[in-house]
Amino acid sequence: MTTALRRLRNYIDGEFRDAADGRTTEVVNPATGEPYATAPLSGAPDVDAAMAAAEAAFPAWRDLIPAERQKVLLKIADRFEERAEELIAAESENCGKPIALVRSEEIPPMVDQIRFFAGAARMLEGRSAGEYMDGFTSIIRREPVGVCAQVAPWNYPMMMAVWKFAPALAAGNAVVIKPSDTTPASTVLIAEIIGGVLDELGHSRGVFNVICGDRETGRLMVEHKVPAMASITGSVRAGMQVAESASKDLKRVHLELGGKAPVVVFEDTDIAKAVEDIATAGYFNAGQDCTAATRVLVQESIHDEFVAALAKAASETKTGAIDDEDVLYGPLNNANQLAQVKGFIERLPAHAKIEAGGEQVGEKGYFFAPTVVSGLKQDDEIVQNEVFGPVITVQSFADEKQAVEWANGVEYALASSVWTKDHARAMRMSKALDFGCVWINTHIPLVAEMPHGGFKKSGYGKDLSAYGFDDYTRIKHVMTSLDG
């Protein structure tokens, strides 16, 4: 007897719809490796319909006074709280994430972030008006850019959807968002919540649309003539493709791509505390985080002690079922990702040593053991490239100069951390590290008020904060004559 698969649908102009040609893809629960739902595999007609709905809804949404858009976002935040258990269930099934951690680590910050951008809606600041030429006054208008095509990733599908739609809607834009083809369930539920709020408060539901599909669907969205801006969180390859596609008609592009965060540990560090925090920041969400603490550089005088402690912490870290409150993380998101992580381990050079883990866990699903690899060199593949799994690498450095050189010696530049009791050293390192974020004696905390975004191949543009809000606006200069 075959269990019927749940049917997910696109959300376009306030209606749930199948793909125009009826095509679907299966959605797999990574904890079991079995499909549990189908989702539309959207094509050009579906993208056209969503863009037309957003384009039609945009003028009225743009022209609302900011306080009215704030009301909508605050109501959305309230609904997220009221329907938290539904969101948790959708995200846990879709991603294999532990229920308790989604409840404690994702729902509260998401709600807070929506409320932050609700407030930002009323802070459309520009430089002061003034006379910069005799007889004329200049003023600055900050306006929404228009329709935004947004592509969210599979590692945090709910939270990354919030990071995209909340600033865009707050600034007065209309949205068409595509979740990853492996994780559409929670975004479809978000569409139901937002659509209900828009309808309740008397606004067009076409302001927010969800299109399910694959890379081709995303390409069609980015290349469509309607959007004024394309925003993606994803791989470097995907970001480059989006930038290239968007360049054809000079769309704005907002890219949050991969990371290879250095974790620089100096000899004066409290080793026990550092290991505890780094293990958590490296293995949380199965290491599927572009800021994860997975590339550790340890001063040579404490290297052996640190590696032994980290291997012990890895052996005590648990992965498993979504309803087990003792687990730190669940499975990798999909079969391809599991194969990628395995490949990095299989291709390790002879001088590398697996101190803990290194293998798949369980007979079903995509679980991988907490892993520590030591003995690595700066040019090793696993040091240079993003694994995106529960694998922490360790290198030994001699001095501060070498630590900076190796920390910066990758193509990514999203996040980093420094572990030391020496304040002056921490300040020198925070200046020298070429990353969009530098944590000191911690790794991975984020707040809505501070920006998140990187340099180099980690992309450009900021999420969260007033900077992230500004990315969804454009600046207009208005000049008026004073002589009547």
Side-chain angles (χ1 to χ4, degrees), residues 36 78 90 111 122-123 151 157 159 171 178 239-240 274 302 366 396 401 438 472:
Y36 73 92
D78 291 344
V111 170
R122 300 178 72 165
M123 292 295 290
V151 179
M159 188 175 292
K178 188 191 87 66
M240 288 179 170
I302 61 167
Y366 311 132
S396 175
K401 179 181 178 182
V438 180
Y472 286 94

Side-chain angles (χ1 to χ4, degrees), residues 255-305:
L255 304 175
E256 199 276 273
L257 309 177
K260 194 68 181 174
V263 180
V264 185
V265 182
F266 286 94
E267 61 187 358
D268 62 342
T269 300
D270 180 333
I271 293 177
K273 180 67 166 62
V275 164
E276 179 184 358
D277 291 353
I278 291 167
T280 299
Y283 297 133
F284 187 82
N285 202 41
Q288 298 171 126
D289 190 314
C290 46
T291 65
T294 55
R295 182 168 65 106
V296 180
L297 307 173
V298 182
Q299 197 155 19
E300 57 189 13
S301 59
I302 61 167
H303 172 269
D304 292 351
E305 181 182 358

Side-chain angles (χ1 to χ4, degrees), residues 61-397:
W61 183 252
R62 172 198 63 200
D63 293 341
L64 284 176
I65 62 171
E68 291 301 312
R69 292 198 297 271
Q70 181 188 45
K71 286 181 184 178
V72 173
L73 285 160
L74 290 174
K75 184 72 72 173
I76 291 170
D78 291 344
R79 291 288 184 271
F80 268 54
E81 284 187 324
E82 293 164 10
R83 302 183 65 175
E85 293 306 312
E86 295 174 70
L87 290 165
I88 292 165
E91 191 79 340
S92 294
E93 185 173 33
N94 214 169
C95 303
K97 295 183 180 186
I99 290 172
L101 288 174
V102 178
R103 181 179 291 117
S104 64
E105 303 300 322
E106 296 198 31
I107 295 295
M110 284 164 46
V111 170
D112 179 67
Q113 289 152 8
I114 297 170
R115 288 176 175 151
F116 171 82
F117 284 113
R122 300 178 72 165
M123 292 295 290
L124 286 164
E125 295 181 336
R127 292 178 179 172
S128 63
E131 290 68 50
Y132 302 96
M133 180 182 291
D134 288 341
F136 297 88
T137 293
S138 289
I139 62 174
I140 296 295
R141 292 181 58 87
R142 189 175 286 275
E143 302 174 339
V145 298
V147 174
C148 297
Q150 302 181 319
V151 179
W154 47 252
N155 59 335
Y156 293 99
M158 274 198 312
M159 188 175 292
M160 294 303 99
V162 167
W163 285 20
K164 293 191 180 302
F165 80 71
L169 294 182
N173 302 285
V175 165
V176 179
I177 188 168
K178 188 191 87 66
S180 168
D181 55 340
T182 67
T183 56
S186 55
T187 311
V188 171
L189 179 55
I190 286 172
E192 178 188 326
I193 292 171
I194 293 178
V197 170
L198 289 167
D199 193 47
E200 178 184 340
L201 297 181
H203 303 296
S204 170
R205 289 176 289 180
V207 166
F208 182 83
N209 306 270
V210 171
I211 290 285
C212 299
D214 58 8
R215 290 177 181 172
E216 175 63 14
T217 312
R219 184 190 67 79
L220 291 169
M221 289 173 58
V222 172
E223 293 185 357
H224 201 278
K225 62 181 175 57
V226 165
M229 179 177 179
S231 170
I232 177 175
T233 299
S235 69
V236 172
R237 181 183 65 176
M240 288 179 170
Q241 291 170 346
V242 166
E244 181 179 1
S245 295
S247 70
K248 295 175 183 178
D249 58 359
L250 297 179
K251 285 184 177 69
R252 287 190 179 203
V253 179
H254 183 282
L255 304 175
E256 199 276 273
L257 309 177
K260 194 68 181 174
V263 180
V264 185
V265 182
F266 286 94
E267 61 187 358
D268 62 342
T269 300
D270 180 333
I271 293 177
K273 180 67 166 62
V275 164
E276 179 184 358
D277 291 353
I278 291 167
T280 299
Y283 297 133
F284 187 82
N285 202 41
Q288 298 171 126
D289 190 314
C290 46
T291 65
T294 55
R295 182 168 65 106
V296 180
L297 307 173
V298 182
Q299 197 155 19
E300 57 189 13
S301 59
I302 61 167
H303 172 269
D304 292 351
E305 181 182 358
F306 183 93
V307 169
L310 184 60
K312 183 175 185 294
S315 68
E316 295 171 350
T317 299
K318 187 176 178 182
T319 179
I322 64 173
D323 56 354
D324 186 341
E325 296 193 1
D326 293 328
V327 306
L328 178 65
Y329 67 89
L332 295 166
N333 182 260
N334 53 74
N336 288 339
Q337 189 59 27
L338 175 61
Q340 174 170 304
V341 174
K342 283 183 173 180
F344 273 103
I345 299 301
E346 291 165 359
R347 295 189 301 273
L348 283 173
H351 54 261
K353 180 182 179 182
I354 298 175
E355 303 280 356
E359 71 281 327
Q360 186 175 353
V361 177
E363 297 180 357
K364 63 179 182 178
Y366 311 132
F367 295 92
F368 201 84
T371 299
V372 177
V373 182
S374 67
L376 294 164
K377 299 179 181 179
Q378 180 66 11
D379 59 356
D380 287 337
E381 176 198 28
I382 200 169
V383 169
Q384 290 294 317
N385 297 329
E386 187 173 37
V387 179
F388 224 57
V391 179
I392 297 178
T393 65
V394 184
Q395 297 167 258
S396 175
F397 69 85

